[in-house]
Amino acid sequence: MSELHDEYDITMRDSFDFEAMIRLYLFKEVTKMDQSEVTARVRNWELLQHRFGIDRAPTQQTLSYTIRRRFSYNLRALLSDISDGIREAGLQQGHTGKDLKSPDQNPSPDEIEETPTPLHHYVDDHAPDIITSALNDVYPAFDTGRRHNVVHEDRTVWEHQILMSLSDRAGTRSAFRTFNKFRTRPLHHDTHVRAVKKLGTPSPYQYTFDDYSGEHRPTPNWRQVADTIQPQFSNAVENVLDHVQVADEFTEPVVAAIDTIRVPVSVTPYKGEADVEPDDPKVVFDNGGSRVPKDNYPEMINGGDNKPYGYEYATLTIVGRNDPIVLAVEPVRHDSRWELESGMSVSWAETVDRLMQQATELVDIHLVMADRAFDTHEVAHVLDQYHDVNYLLPKTKNSKNLKQEVDVVKYDPSLKSRVRPASLYLDGNRTRYVETESDDTVGENDYSHDVNFMYVPADSDDWVITETEDVEYTVFVTNRDDVSPMDALGFTDRYSKRWDIEIEYKMIQPLIPSIASKDYRMRYFSFVFSCLLYNLWRLTNHSLKRLASEVFDEYGRSKFDERLDPLLPMPDFLASALVLMFRDGEIDPPD
């Protein structure tokens, strides 16, 4: 019995009894319920509290923390073995999986037939508990590092951040005055700003000789901000995945999509004529005109040359049959014309590498699809050689030689799709594809990996790259080596699943607060937090769909069906989250 040891160093007066939590964990394992289901079941069925020996229902956060911190690995393994035996004994006695779960207030399928309950009423009844559990799980992942005796704890700051996402005037002092009308202890605008800035402030950075060697410069401020916030975002996403991954509907390895989103700003990077000084450097345009750049324009804003100004971010998202979850976020830093000699650019390959490093810590990935902007040899090299994943990338219209090569592709005349094998070589500053049958002389050290170009009929004019007499083609490249002309069309059809990320951006964009601050800590955190709200909405719908599929026989999907549509719209999710904040007492509801 040496495994039955409480790993807590200090036991507080309000801590749950260790043996009682073991009973609760066994109940969870025997019934195969996830943590949110177990805590909801105990909360709604007080008899279970009496049987387990607890005086109140633990939150999902408490249960998760207990399992991770109070139960050793050996104890968890032992309890899992015991629960398997209990479940097997119950099944031998004729008890089904539902019999092993405690009776609760949810109607059985037979009761539903006698007194039908509309699905939307079922969603309304269960959504608040699920949202509360999700919020409790995510909030602790973000830590400002402030003292514990502050007037406004971190949770109050994050609740206010949600309110900012619901307001068109978010981030302004007038918006804070509106919010604070309903608070018993008003949160001042400056308090919120200081808390977020502290969250994004890295610990004192220790420079090394590598920071100054060659052409390298000390780590820029925006990179340090991202490196400080990203691990906290990853912890929050990991908590979300803990709920999602236990479901039969979630399958690994996953399919991932990479794309970029731009958050527009309306402030020009150039001075007005009245502010121009005689010695100011000028930016000369192709048409012969010139402008004078501002001295302190935010370095992370991209744009110009007929593109809108804005902060740009790259994301990696689960797509396909699994519920879309944003796994990783990375700033996009591109040299802009107005920066003159002071600008710097981060390659798409480095951006993709950082996204993959974050994402693969959380899930296994087997296929990555990306936007045309990522059509570079270096990106393909990073995905294949650094991360050992398959990729599916569309070629850009200005890709060299693609228009001429279509006529020499060997193919079966009865097939519309065509496949051409090649090899990718990286030779110093030159990168190139070489056909497999080519006699072109290349160095062995230059070789990266083999690829297949897939010529498939284009769905629209925007995707046409080249054409023959009878077919208009779009072209994809992949490192998969088992793609035949017959398989190419079906494989490239998977690219349509990437549109999950486009829909995601349309939903995230309105959640990004409108703020005037130029501080990148505020800007980056606001976007990251909006992605997290989107993840929470997806998590809530995932849990609702699981519960509904257990209660409603007509609701659910087989392993061959597509992903079910959300049961709770995004506006309803945000409104429910706001109501729950009022209910918790920190905010006094208006009359």
Side-chain angles (χ1 to χ4, degrees), residues 200-213 216-228 350 354:
T201 301
S203 58
Y205 184 79
Q206 300 296 322
Y207 290 105
T208 66
F209 287 113
D210 292 336
D211 288 312
Y212 296 93
S213 62
H216 292 288
R217 293 180 292 178
T219 303
N221 176 69
W222 63 267
R223 180 73 265 163
Q224 294 184 49
V225 170
D227 289 344
T228 302
E350 180 177 341
R354 288 181 177 273

Side-chain angles (χ1 to χ4, degrees), residues 414-553:
S414 64
L415 299 174
K416 294 290 186 182
S417 302
R418 313 177 183 193
V419 176
R420 178 177 68 84
S423 296
L424 173 63
Y425 287 84
L426 287 84
D427 178 15
N429 294 325
R430 291 196 307 133
T431 57
R432 60 199 186 282
Y433 290 114
V434 177
E435 291 190 48
T436 303
E437 298 84 357
S438 173
D439 293 330
D440 191 5
T441 303
V442 293
E444 292 183 0
N445 294 332
D446 303 334
Y447 172 77
S448 175
H449 61 279
D450 292 332
V451 302
N452 276 311
F453 287 100
M454 296 171 291
Y455 295 75
V456 296
D459 291 335
S460 65
D461 293 340
D462 293 338
W463 284 86
V464 175
I465 291 182
T466 185
E467 56 187 296
T468 60
E469 294 181 356
D470 56 343
V471 181
E472 295 179 327
Y473 285 99
T474 187
V475 184
F476 291 85
V477 63
T478 182
N479 58 342
R480 271 188 53 178
D481 59 2
D482 57 347
V483 182
S484 68
M486 187 173 296
D487 299 328
L489 188 58
F491 180 47
T492 56
D493 277 346
R494 301 186 67 178
Y495 192 78
S496 63
K497 302 298 183 184
R498 194 194 66 86
W499 288 108
D500 276 334
I501 203 169
E502 302 289 350
I503 297 172
E504 163 192 305
Y505 287 157
K506 290 181 180 179
M507 306 190 74
I508 290 176
Q509 189 87 41
L511 298 177
I512 304 172
S514 174
I515 57 177
S517 175
K518 296 180 181 179
D519 193 303
Y520 197 63
R521 291 171 294 184
M522 298 292 296
R523 290 286 183 173
Y524 188 64
F525 174 77
S526 293
F527 177 74
V528 166
F529 195 85
S530 298
C531 291
L532 189 55
L533 282 180
Y534 172 83
N535 283 350
L536 289 178
W537 172 67
R538 285 293 187 183
L539 169 60
T540 300
N541 274 288
H542 169 84
S543 300
L544 286 171
K545 288 185 286 187
R546 285 193 64 197
L547 292 176
S549 63
E550 293 179 0
V551 176
F552 295 85
D553 290 337

